[in-house]
Amino acid sequence: MTDANPHPLDAMLALAPRAPGLYDGHTHASYWNMVGPYGGATAAVLLQSVLQHPKCLGEPVALTVNFAGPVAAGPYRIEATPVRTNRSTQHWTVTLLQDDEQGQPQVTTTATAVTAVRRETFSVDGIGPPHMPTPESCERFDTVGAMEWLQRYDMRVVTGGIPQTWDDSAHEPISQLWVRDNPPRALDFPALAALCDVFFPRIWLRRARRVPAGTVSLTIYFHADSAQLAAQGEQFLLGQADAQAFRNGFFDQTSQVWDSAGQLLATTHQTVYYKE
């Protein structure tokens, strides 16, 4: 991709600074979901606002995004504030706002983030990747007619795909797949944040019923540094998602993302609302 023809993710991540920590942005049709931008894209642009801040210390360690309301198509503003900076860690609050029909600013999304200067020390993964066939040997997930944001990913589902028949049959809510940006793009932290939300709602698999669902809160823990992400390049990532409980309109969803060498890049946990 060139500056004149940027990757869709880079076009979506473009923020115009008004002042340090205050940015103007615009939704991008390439990452549109049913009623607004795909949640992973929103998480990515909020993280981008932190990384673009001139006072940003280190690299991302954690990001929590709370989806307070839908983001409408059009312009928005992001306020990213470093609320405390220590010797090696920095804590952030981030807010995405849009004007309503009366021109009054409304909060659509809030987030907190932690960045840090990582130091080389004892390191080990507590969970390894599942044994999987190579991505090249797996069939590509058919996104014809699907939501626009799905066109932005090359997914190779190995287990736990979207049910072929919506018949209320019970299934284990675990999915395993290979995934990368489409078209391919070198991995960085915003791209990883977006990729952490590619998994479809676990309740669809658990019940084989396509009930309306939407993420309320998403937390991503980053275990990799920028050098590890750079080494990954445009290769496929391995993702796994599962759920622990479905109760009274909400369920949790956990996932892990490994690089092509089997090193854990990120773990996530989210709470999802479902309506019947």
Side-chain angles (χ1 to χ4, degrees), residues 47-195:
L47 182 60
Q48 176 74 356
S49 73
V50 171
L51 298 177
Q52 195 170 318
H53 197 291
K55 292 186 178 180
C56 181
L57 174 71
E59 298 179 341
V61 172
L63 173 70
T64 294
V65 181
N66 299 309
F67 300 92
V71 179
Y76 56 76
R77 298 183 302 283
I78 294 180
E79 298 175 358
T81 305
V83 295
R84 175 154 182 161
T85 301
N86 302 315
R87 289 183 60 188
S88 60
T89 62
Q90 192 171 47
H91 299 258
W92 296 81
T93 61
V94 189
T95 306
L96 191 153
L97 306 99
Q98 285 186 309
D99 291 342
D100 62 16
E101 294 179 355
Q102 288 72 44
Q104 298 300 310
Q106 299 293 321
V107 173
T108 70
T109 320
T110 65
T112 59
V114 179
T115 60
V117 176
R118 295 181 181 269
R119 292 181 172 83
E120 194 169 328
T121 182
F122 172 78
S123 301
V124 65
D125 288 350
I127 179 173
H131 179 71
M132 302 275 277
T134 64
E136 292 76 18
S137 66
C138 299
E139 184 178 356
R140 184 168 179 171
F141 178 64
D142 183 6
T143 59
V144 174
M147 294 298 167
E148 188 63 31
W149 74 267
L150 282 167
Q151 317 302 323
R152 305 285 75 78
Y153 293 103
D154 179 351
M155 296 190 228
R156 313 292 176 98
V157 180
V158 179
T159 60
I162 292 179
Q164 297 300 305
T165 304
W166 303 98
D167 58 3
D168 287 344
S169 57
H171 302 267
E172 289 298 318
I174 187 169
S175 295
Q176 297 166 334
L177 57 85
W178 293 102
V179 61
R180 65 177 175 180
D181 286 291
N182 180 43
R185 178 187 181 278
L187 189 65
D188 57 17
F189 285 109
L192 179 57
L195 282 156

Side-chain angles (χ1 to χ4, degrees), residues 237-259:
L237 303 176
L238 175 57
Q240 177 173 275
D242 203 349
Q244 284 71 234
F246 305 82
R247 189 162 300 144
N248 300 332
F250 294 89
F251 68 89
D252 67 342
Q253 181 168 301
T254 60
S255 61
Q256 302 83 34
V257 178
W258 292 269
D259 66 14

